[in-house]
Amino acid sequence: MRRLSDVPLDGSWERPGRNPIAAAIAGLVLCGGVYSTVGGAAGGIVAALDMLRDPSWLSTGRLVDILVEYYHRFQVPILVVTTVAQFGVFFGLAVALVRRWHSSRPFRYLSYRPPAAVDLALAGAGAIAVVPLAEVLDRWSYVLLPPLRELAAGEAALLAIHSPWQAVLVFGAVAVTPAVCEVALFRGSLQGTLRRRLPLAPALAGQAVLFALFHMSPLSIVALAFVGVYLGWLFERTGTIYASMAAHALYNATIITVTNLQPRWLADASGSFSLPVIFGAL
């Protein structure tokens, strides 16, 4: 359970008659807007400069083929921009807002408390088990729109690893960075503030849905919300942000590993997990 007894609530928003939930939502919207603007502008500039140099890749065929080529060509700048933007906005700006609006001890407010080793171990094991279950939920989008499976395969190019330095970049940008930054924003700031006024169920559901929406993947919203509920439950259960952080990192790292190694005993070539694996995850 999250504790605020040792946290000074002396920020500018902590005044009689002001609802802290409004601050949490406003901070989320502000961070999302800044992140989208910065990331979109940087990515657009890089792509535009490359197109001026060599526009031939835009005529490679179908939209899926263009998407695959886009991720192949711009994997490094995409991952670098994502890392810088997430640390600058989802972490840096979020912490600054908490400091200004809620507490002069922002890391206490965000529940950066020492974790128990067993909490970290069980959180990570649970996160690995969540991967097949989330993939099952994602399958429904493929049933509704079969071409999405091709798009998902195209996006796998962003996670492709062919060298040690590439492994460091992919795991750093896709596993470590979201674990540090997204957990601070969605669990520490958003969910932690929601729980000051709301019961557990609506607070968990609210942060999970917003977490899913922020990934801008409408047909994966159920799977992403499921992951958000698990990460939020860990935060509530352990009272420390580190458990959710470890789980988020291992969840994404598992996806990267399966995408690159494609172990046939675990998942088929399309990434669908076998029934024994799914039942084992349950």
Side-chain angles (χ1 to χ4, degrees), residues 4 13 15 49 60 78 107-108 127 129 135 161 180 221 244:
L4 287 177
W13 205 290
R15 300 288 185 270
L49 292 175
T60 54
I78 288 173
F107 292 104
R108 284 191 183 181
E135 190 275 330
I161 295 174
V180 174
I221 191 170
S244 295

Side-chain angles (χ1 to χ4, degrees), residues 2-112:
R2 173 181 165 86
R3 304 182 304 274
L4 287 177
S5 57
D6 60 341
V7 179
L9 298 176
D10 51 3
S12 62
W13 205 290
E14 300 294 336
R15 300 288 185 270
R18 290 190 176 183
N19 191 332
I21 293 178
I25 299 299
L28 186 68
V29 171
L30 178 59
C31 288
V34 173
Y35 177 79
S36 298
T37 301
V38 172
I45 290 171
V46 171
L49 292 175
D50 187 80
M51 284 187 287
L52 290 175
R53 182 181 62 83
D54 177 21
S56 61
W57 63 275
L58 290 172
S59 58
T60 54
R62 301 174 305 156
L63 177 61
V64 173
D65 299 322
I66 295 175
L67 180 65
V68 172
E69 181 63 21
Y70 173 80
Y71 283 135
H72 274 304
R73 295 175 75 91
F74 304 116
Q75 182 195 41
V76 172
I78 288 173
L79 294 180
V80 170
V81 167
T82 297
T83 300
V84 173
Q86 285 217 4
F87 272 102
V89 179
F90 285 177
F91 183 79
L93 180 57
V95 171
L97 291 175
V98 168
R99 181 190 296 274
R100 176 152 184 98
W101 288 348
H102 297 297
S103 176
S104 58
R105 304 297 295 272
F107 292 104
R108 284 191 183 181
Y109 186 93
L110 296 170
S111 296
Y112 281 86

